[in-house]
């Protein structure tokens, strides 16, 4: 998942990152696109819509992205304070965070201008100063009020060597890829899984069938073919009606990157909104795809839901701080029901499923990012036949065509409207949407209407209100959200006419959070539900859940969360319990320790984790102990990311509680149960005529092909200060970088420090901006390994001394000419040649006609050629 920042050394220089202040964040931002559509954050709504024109608005804290020149990906987010008065707008920024960025992109000579300000901020964790303190006629830091971003412009002569090699010379606003993806590329990921369990005596040695999850991406120009499948080892002792190989989703994908639109044909994965429901189908779709990166581990779901395809471990980060680690089963999970819900945005979930695959999802809890700029559209149109898997075969009901569509448009800067529609042969659901930002808060209204054959019509609606502000000198945050959702008795969610199990008449959800001080946050959440009996005999009553939580960060890395919960179920069972969570994070040691308990469910868990770095050779470890209502278990896991494979081993021991009930008819074993899972993931990739083996490809990839000068050497790619790297060449040949994010600039760097002395590496850094699931073939090193030794003579036989010339490769004129020089005796000795035919053109030291020569394929690393005679240029 790691991505190298888009700065790399020039040729053989090595960049060493300087110290980072605590508030500095170099993780790339997502969802920012100032040219077409931009997602508005809570802070931006506060700045643009909640301010009053007649009086000064309170200062607003914004973690603002910082861009270099025309970069599409932010270098970092830094803390800023924006103050609006009737006459002016003032921006203060954390100077220490800006210093870290400027040190990377600006020449040291210019940086001396900031010495006084550095001294003023030295020793301070946070040093907020007006942005005007950085004003300079040469290096400019511009604040864009409409986009809420900072952009640094540096003239070419003042650029740091650490970043200048990645930009075209002579241009102040260039950030273009240096390489382009192959027209044809492909990869196949294979994730094998083997499970052993001691409580399955019917299985030989307790071994379950080996399974393999396969997914692939084949790109032909702008067209991508995605395909997935699953293979299960046939076993005599297991009677299975399914065939060994089961086809899963297969679809063609085409992206219009500039318009942020995606078209699909085949098994569709399309977005839904409002009261729409995602239903699998085969057909065609076109929709807005602002990230242009669909998911492998989650299914499309609503704004506040997470639908996991497999059981997964979910690490929860709030404002880039690890706060919880959850172990969740497959299925739908409502984000608002999680105990971490406190109203804050910048929520990141790192998901690792039970096969070892990983993915990162970003959310903004109760965010305002449903607002669109005026005149901009967000669409989703899909039509197809509903599909289902039966006996390992996928069946399509072509007689019951589904149409799913929504269209949203930004009417004004403060108002967005939309409508949605879903229909099949027997069911139709209509919906409207309106989103409004006002001076007293943010409102959203979503009414819906359903009509189903044989069931009549029904209504549903959702009203949401959100408000936040900052109070006091310490800028303490207050957040409030209220949501009401109601359903009439005859309203049916789309596609659910066979089961009218809809016991909820209405639900009220209220959330309030505030910063008690700089380290403590209080959050209160109350849910009240009006239930409706499905059958007359059902005795359902109104249910509720009240949670009061206190989160505190005690010191560096240590934080606690206590949530007192009182709830009543629809059946009338009441409970009062405490959910406590402790975490000690040690980022420098790359370790964490967590402990949590829930007195309502009776479950407690403690976990230790270690992950020193990411990339090739990374070894992570985890150990845990759990007590689930008296049934104890313990275990651990190892995860190894190799250069060509990814290995994962998990072992868990469960100790069932001893049965003491004499009336229990069935005897239960009290022996411990051992559960072991072994996973192996690898991939076969192809691009530019080159095959290679790598770790599973997560998005796009690059095959780095070593040329003659690098053969036999282990070349490391993207070296890090920790000593880690993403890939390296070995006896299998090319290195593969399999984790390149699509539609953003990424840097690829060759580690030249580990090469043999005298190795020719004409280029050691590359910039790529791949399409979704595309592949690159990038040659590294050089096949020009011949050392040429000859003499240049004039027409009269005397040495042609002290002249400069260029040798042009006539068999490949796209290659850079080799520049050569002679000494006083006319001797020419130079490296950088390869077997080929050349034309030598004198450019300095005399006027001579070009002369051609050839280096044969039989030439070794040194080739002594007979003297060349130069004829005077004809008049």
């Amino acid at each position: 998942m790691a991505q190298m920042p888009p700065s790399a050394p020039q040729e053989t220089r090595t960049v060493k990152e300087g110290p980072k202040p605590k508030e500095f964040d170099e993780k790339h931002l997502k969802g920012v696109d100032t040219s077409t559509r931009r997602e508005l954050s809570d802070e931006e709504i506060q700045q643009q819509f909640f301010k009053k024109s007649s009086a000064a608005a309170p200062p607003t804290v914004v973690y603002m992205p910082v861009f270099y020149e025309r970069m599409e990906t932010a270098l970092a987010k830094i803390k800023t304070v924006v103050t609006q008065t009737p006459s002016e707008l003032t921006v203060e920024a954390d100077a220490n965070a800006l210093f870290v960025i400027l040190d990377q992109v600006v020449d040291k000579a210019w940086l001396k201008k900031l010495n006084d300000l550095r001294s003023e901020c030295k020793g301070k964790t946070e040093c907020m100063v007006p942005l005007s303190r950085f004003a300079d006629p040469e290096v400019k830091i511009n604040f864009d009020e409409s986009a809420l971003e900072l952009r640094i412009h540096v003239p070419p002569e003042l650029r740091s060597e650490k970043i200048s090699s990645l930009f075209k010379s002579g241009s102040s606003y260039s950030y273009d890829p240096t390489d382009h993806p192959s027209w044809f590329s492909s990869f196949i990921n294979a994730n094998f899984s083997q499970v052993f369990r001691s409580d399955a005596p019917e299985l030989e040695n307790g071994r379950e069938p080996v399974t393999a999850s396969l997914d692939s991406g084949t790109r032909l120009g702008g067209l991508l073919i995605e395909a997935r499948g699953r293979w299960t080892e046939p076993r005599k002792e297991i009677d299975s009606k399914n065939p060994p190989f089961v086809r899963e989703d297969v679809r063609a994908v085409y992206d219009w990157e500039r318009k942020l639109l995606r078209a699909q044909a085949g098994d569709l994965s399309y977005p839904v909104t409002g009261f729409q429901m995602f239903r699998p189908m085969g057909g065609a779709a076109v929709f807005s795809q602002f990230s242009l990166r669909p998911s492998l581990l989650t299914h499309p779901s609503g704004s506040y839901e997470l639908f996991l395809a497999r059981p997964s471990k979910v690490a929860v980060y709030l404002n880039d701080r690890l706060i919880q680690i959850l172990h969740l089963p497959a299925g739908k999970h409502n984000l608002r029901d999680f105990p971490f819900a406190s109203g804050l945005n910048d929520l990141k979930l790192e998901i690792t499923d039970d096969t070892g695959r990983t993915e990162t999802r970003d959310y903004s809890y109760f965010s305002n990012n449903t607002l669109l700029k005026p005149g901009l559209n967000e669409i989703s149109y899909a039509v197809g036949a509903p599909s289902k898997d039966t006996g390992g075969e996928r069946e399509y009901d072509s007689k019951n065509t589904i149409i799913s569509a929504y269209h949203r448009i930004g009417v004004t800067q403060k108002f967005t409207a939309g409508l949605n529609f879903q229909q099949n042969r027997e069911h139709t659901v209509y919906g409207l949407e309106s989103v409004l930002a006002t001076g007293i808060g943010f409102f959203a209204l979503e009414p819906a209407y359903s009509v189903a054959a044989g069931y009549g019509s029904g209504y549903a609606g959702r009203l949401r209100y959100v408000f936040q502000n900052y109070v006091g000198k310490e800028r303490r945050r207050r957040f409030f959200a209220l949501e009401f959702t109601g359903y009439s008795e005859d309203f049916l969610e789309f596609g659910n006419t066979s089961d009218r199990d809809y016991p909820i008449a209405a639900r009220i959800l209220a959330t309030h959070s505030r910063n008690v001080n700089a380290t403590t946050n209080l959050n209160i959440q109350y849910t009240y539900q009006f239930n409706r009996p499905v059958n007359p005999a059902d005795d359902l009553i109104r249910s509720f859940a009240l949670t009061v939580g206190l989160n505190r960060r005690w010191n560096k890395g240590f934080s606690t969360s206590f949530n007192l919960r009182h709830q009543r179920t629809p059946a009338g069972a009441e409970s009062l319990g405490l959910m406590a969570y402790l975490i000690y994070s040690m980022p420098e040691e790359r370790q964490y320790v967590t402990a949590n308990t829930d007195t309502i469910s009776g479950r407690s868990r403690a976990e230790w984790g270690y992950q020193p770095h990411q990339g090739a050779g990374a070894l992570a470890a985890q150990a845990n102990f759990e007590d689930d209502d008296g049934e104890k278990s313990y275990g651990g896991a190892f995860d190894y990311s190799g250069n060509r494979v990814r290995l994962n081993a998990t072992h868990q021991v469960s100790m069932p509680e001893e049965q003491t009930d004499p009336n229990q008819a069935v005897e239960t074993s009290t022996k411990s149960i051992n559960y072991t899972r072994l996973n192996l993931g690898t991939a076969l990739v192809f691009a530019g005529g080159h095959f290679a083996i790598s770790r599973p490809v997560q998005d796009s990839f690059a095959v780095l092909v070593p040329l003659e000068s690098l053969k036999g050497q282990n070349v490391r790619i993207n070296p890090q200060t920790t000593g880690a790297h993403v890939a390296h060449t070995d006896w299998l040949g090319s290195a593969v970088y399999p984790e390149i994010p699509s539609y953003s600039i990424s840097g690829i760097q060759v580690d030249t420090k580990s090469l043999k002395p005298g190795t020719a590496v004409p280029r050691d850094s590359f910039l790529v901006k791949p399409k979704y699931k595309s592949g690159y073939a990038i040659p590294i090193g050089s096949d020009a390994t011949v050392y040429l030794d000859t003499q240049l003579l004039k027409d009269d036989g005397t040495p042609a001394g002290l002249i400069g010339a260029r040798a042009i490769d006539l068999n490949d004129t796209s290659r850079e000419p080799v520049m050569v020089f002679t000494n006083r005796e006319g001797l020419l000795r130079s490296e950088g040649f390869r077997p080929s035919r050349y034309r030598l053109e004198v450019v300095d030291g005399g006027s001579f006609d070009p002369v051609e020569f050839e280096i044969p394929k039989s030439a070794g690393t040194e080739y002594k050629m007979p003297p060349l005679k130069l004829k005077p240029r004809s008049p």
Side-chain angles (χ1 to χ4, degrees):
M1 304 295 290
Q3 176 180 334
M4 190 192 83
S7 59
Q10 186 177 14
E11 296 185 357
T12 57
R13 298 184 180 90
T14 300
V15 179
K16 293 185 177 180
E17 298 179 354
K20 300 178 178 62
K22 295 180 179 179
E23 292 293 337
F24 179 71
D25 173 19
E26 65 181 8
K27 293 183 180 294
H28 296 300
L29 297 180
K30 297 181 180 178
V32 178
D33 186 280
T34 59
S35 61
T36 53
R37 190 265 191 188
R38 176 174 43 81
E39 297 181 357
L40 303 179
S41 65
D42 292 343
E43 291 87 354
E44 186 171 357
I45 297 299
Q46 174 75 17
Q47 169 64 20
Q48 292 191 6
F49 305 130
F50 295 179
K51 63 187 180 184
K52 302 180 186 296
S53 59
S54 59
T60 302
V61 176
V62 182
Y63 283 85
M64 199 172 293
V66 182
F67 298 85
Y68 178 78
E69 300 293 357
R70 283 187 171 179
M71 279 186 177
E72 298 179 6
T73 303
L75 289 174
K77 287 186 293 182
I78 68 172
K79 184 176 181 179
T80 61
V81 177
V82 181
T83 305
Q84 174 72 56
T85 67
S87 59
E88 65 177 349
L89 182 72
T90 304
V91 179
E92 292 183 337
D94 184 356
N96 285 330
L98 264 179
F99 290 150
V100 175
I101 300 173
L102 292 173
D103 287 343
Q104 297 294 316
V105 300
V106 187
D107 186 79
K108 293 181 179 180
W110 182 88
L111 291 171
K112 293 180 180 179
K113 296 182 178 182
L114 303 177
N115 285 345
D116 292 341
L117 184 56
R118 283 182 190 269
S119 300
E120 181 182 327
C121 295
K122 187 175 181 180
K124 296 181 180 180
T125 303
E126 184 179 283
C127 185
M128 306 302 296
V129 300
L131 199 60
S132 58
R133 295 283 299 273
F134 290 89
D136 186 87
E138 295 177 316
V139 176
K140 298 179 180 180
I141 305 176
N142 295 333
F143 166 61
D144 187 335
E145 181 181 358
S146 62
L148 279 188
E149 66 182 28
L150 298 177
R151 197 167 288 270
I152 302 174
H153 298 297
V154 185
E157 64 272 14
L158 292 181
R159 289 179 182 168
S160 168
E161 291 182 350
K162 298 175 183 179
I163 199 168
S164 61
S165 64
L166 295 181
F167 293 83
K168 290 183 177 179
S169 60
S171 173
S172 299
Y173 299 96
S174 60
Y175 190 68
D176 299 324
T178 59
D179 295 82
H180 300 280
S182 301
W183 185 86
F184 176 73
S185 64
S186 183
F187 71 86
I188 300 177
N189 289 335
N191 287 277
F192 298 92
S193 181
Q194 173 69 80
V195 172
F196 298 87
R197 51 190 313 149
S198 62
D199 61 340
E202 70 278 7
L203 299 175
E204 183 180 355
N205 299 321
R207 185 178 73 87
E208 292 186 355
V210 177
T211 61
S213 297
L214 307 172
D215 66 271
S216 67
T218 301
R219 178 168 287 281
L220 297 92
L223 182 66
L224 172 71
I225 306 297
E226 289 184 287
R228 298 175 189 168
R230 185 178 68 256
W231 175 83
T232 304
E233 175 194 10
R235 296 280 292 278
K236 294 181 180 179
E237 64 268 35
I238 298 178
D239 184 17
S240 176
K241 298 179 180 179
N242 295 337
F245 180 78
V246 176
R247 177 185 74 83
E248 297 180 332
D249 290 351
V250 178
R251 55 177 164 261
V253 180
Y254 187 88
D255 289 339
W256 287 276
E257 183 181 352
R258 292 183 178 274
K259 296 183 180 297
L260 292 176
L261 287 176
R262 167 163 292 171
Q264 289 184 354
D267 298 301
L268 304 180
S269 177
Y270 56 94
V272 293
T273 188
F275 287 88
Q276 289 185 324
M277 301 296 296
F278 173 78
R279 299 299 180 190
M281 62 178 175
V286 60
F287 50 87
S288 301
Q289 181 75 335
F290 298 119
S291 69
L292 290 175
R293 298 187 193 110
S295 169
L296 268 176
L297 306 186
T298 61
H299 295 321
S301 56
S303 301
Y304 311 119
E305 293 177 347
L306 177 69
F307 200 114
L308 295 174
R310 301 186 60 88
S312 303
K313 181 180 75 172
V314 180
V316 183
Y317 292 83
L318 198 59
N319 293 328
D320 291 314
R321 183 171 58 88
L322 178 65
I323 62 168
Q324 283 197 22
I325 295 176
L326 305 172
H327 295 264
L328 302 176
K332 184 187 298 184
H333 302 276
N334 194 317
L335 296 179
R336 293 170 296 191
D337 290 339
F338 288 174
F340 61 74
S342 60
L344 296 176
N345 60 1
D346 287 336
L347 175 68
K348 181 178 71 174
L349 306 181
E350 288 187 355
I351 305 168
T352 304
D353 74 358
D354 58 354
T355 66
R357 297 181 298 180
T358 61
E359 181 176 283
T360 300
R361 305 286 289 176
D362 291 271
Y363 295 87
S364 185
Y365 183 75
F366 274 129
S367 70
N368 302 3
N369 59 3
T370 52
L371 281 174
L372 298 176
K373 285 184 177 181
L376 292 181
N377 296 269
E378 180 183 2
I379 66 170
S380 173
Y381 296 97
V383 59
S387 62
K388 62 178 180 180
D389 293 332
T390 304
E393 299 292 334
R394 180 156 296 189
E395 298 179 352
Y396 300 91
D397 185 2
S398 58
K399 297 180 180 180
N400 194 18
T401 301
I402 291 177
I403 300 175
S404 179
Y406 72 77
H407 195 129
R408 305 175 65 250
I409 184 171
V411 181
T412 69
Q413 193 79 346
K414 301 181 182 180
F415 180 67
T416 293
L419 54 88
N420 54 77
F421 170 79
Q422 283 187 310
Q423 183 183 59
N424 61 16
R425 183 176 56 191
E426 54 190 19
H427 194 185
T428 304
V429 175
Y430 305 90
L432 297 175
E433 179 183 2
S434 59
V435 183
L436 177 66
T438 72
I440 60 171
F442 167 86
F443 295 87
L445 177 63
E446 299 174 0
Y449 172 73
S450 75
V451 180
Y455 295 93
S457 60
Y459 302 88
R462 181 180 294 117
L463 176 65
R464 187 168 68 251
Y465 168 72
V466 177
F467 175 77
Q468 67 172 354
N469 68 347
Y470 296 85
V471 297
K473 296 181 179 180
E474 298 180 354
R475 312 298 305 132
R476 288 178 292 180
R477 180 173 179 168
R478 295 188 303 181
F479 176 90
F480 177 75
L482 179 65
E483 181 176 292
F484 173 83
T485 306
Y487 308 87
S488 72
E489 187 172 359
D490 294 319
F491 180 83
L492 296 175
E493 66 181 24
F494 181 72
N496 187 23
T497 56
S498 60
D499 181 11
R500 291 188 64 188
D501 186 9
Y502 222 154
I504 303 172
R507 179 191 291 116
I508 299 174
L509 171 66
T511 299
H512 174 68
S513 69
R514 61 169 60 209
N515 297 122
V516 179
N517 53 43
T519 59
T520 305
N521 185 79
L522 171 70
N523 59 279
I524 302 172
Q525 181 169 300
Y526 182 69
T527 303
Y528 194 86
Q529 190 164 291
F530 297 86
N531 300 301
R532 176 189 300 118
V534 178
N535 300 308
D538 291 342
D539 185 18
L540 295 180
I541 64 173
R542 296 174 181 177
S543 56
F544 67 85
L546 171 65
T547 303
V548 179
L550 195 66
N551 308 314
R552 180 177 175 84
R553 186 174 66 255
W554 295 92
N555 55 30
K556 182 181 179 181
F558 181 65
S559 59
T560 59
S561 175
F562 295 95
N563 293 270
L564 184 66
R565 186 177 180 89
H566 181 201
Q567 64 182 25
R568 183 173 67 195
T569 68
E574 289 199 41
S575 59
L576 177 66
L578 176 68
M579 292 177 288
Y581 198 94
L582 295 83
I583 185 165
Y584 182 53
S585 179
M586 298 163 280
E588 294 181 358
E589 293 81 8
R590 303 305 300 270
Q591 299 185 55
Y592 66 84
V593 178
T594 67
N596 65 83
T597 184
D598 184 353
T599 61
I600 296 178
S601 64
R603 183 182 183 186
S604 299
R605 181 182 177 92
E607 183 173 315
W608 166 83
Y610 169 66
Q611 185 172 3
H613 58 80
Q614 293 180 327
L619 177 63
Q622 177 262 338
N624 67 80
F625 175 82
E626 186 172 308
D627 186 343
D628 190 354
D629 200 17
E631 181 174 322
K632 296 177 176 59
S633 65
Y634 64 90
F638 288 94
D639 189 285
Y640 174 73
S641 293
N643 189 39
R644 310 288 180 181
V645 297
R646 180 169 183 177
L647 303 175
N648 175 268
T650 302
H651 185 74
Q652 201 72 21
V653 180
S654 298
M655 297 170 286
E657 186 178 12
E658 185 177 355
Q659 181 58 253
T660 58
D661 187 357
N663 298 320
Q664 180 71 31
V666 181
E667 294 185 3
T668 58
S669 173
T670 58
K671 294 182 179 180
S672 61
I673 299 173
N674 288 267
Y675 177 92
T676 303
R677 177 185 288 272
L678 305 175
N679 297 317
L680 182 150
T682 188
L684 177 65
V685 304
F686 174 85
H690 298 276
F691 285 97
I693 298 174
S694 81
R695 299 188 302 276
V697 176
Q698 295 185 4
D699 189 341
S700 296
F701 66 93
V703 181
L704 294 112
V705 185
L707 299 181
E708 192 68 31
S709 65
L710 296 182
K711 285 187 176 179
Q713 300 193 55
N714 288 337
V715 184
R716 301 189 306 172
I717 307 300
N718 279 18
Q720 306 296 317
T721 56
T722 59
H725 55 281
V726 299
H728 61 263
T729 61
D730 54 20
W731 63 276
L732 286 175
S734 303
V736 182
Y737 183 3
E739 297 117 351
I740 305 178
S742 55
Y743 299 108
S744 63
I745 295 287
S746 295
I748 300 177
Q749 177 190 338
V750 178
D751 182 14
T752 57
K753 294 186 65 177
S754 60
L755 302 180
K756 296 178 181 178
T759 301
V761 183
R763 290 181 60 196
D764 67 352
S765 58
F766 310 86
L767 279 182
V768 296
K769 186 182 180 183
K771 294 181 178 293
Y772 173 58
K773 289 190 175 180
S774 60
Y776 288 76
I778 301 176
I780 55 176
S782 173
D783 59 359
T785 58
V786 177
Y787 186 85
L788 179 63
D789 185 350
T790 188
Q791 184 181 29
L792 299 186
L793 301 175
K794 295 180 182 180
D795 194 37
D796 59 2
T798 60
L802 302 178
I803 67 170
R806 59 182 181 183
I808 299 173
D809 190 335
L810 297 179
N811 292 334
D812 187 357
T813 56
S814 64
R815 288 178 173 268
E816 289 286 333
V818 182
M819 300 303 299
V820 296
F821 302 89
T822 64
N823 61 12
R824 294 182 183 277
E825 287 74 32
L827 296 178
L828 185 157
R829 297 187 176 107
S830 177
E831 61 182 8
F833 287 89
R834 68 188 186 103
S836 184
R837 186 165 183 80
Y838 292 88
R839 182 175 70 245
L840 189 70
E841 297 179 350
V842 176
V843 296
D844 186 27
S847 179
F848 300 94
D849 282 336
V851 62
E852 295 185 3
F853 65 93
E854 184 175 3
I855 299 178
K857 293 182 179 179
S858 59
T861 56
E862 294 187 13
Y863 178 63
K864 187 171 181 59
M865 189 173 66
L868 289 175
K869 280 194 174 183
L870 301 178
K871 294 182 179 181
R873 187 179 298 276
S874 302

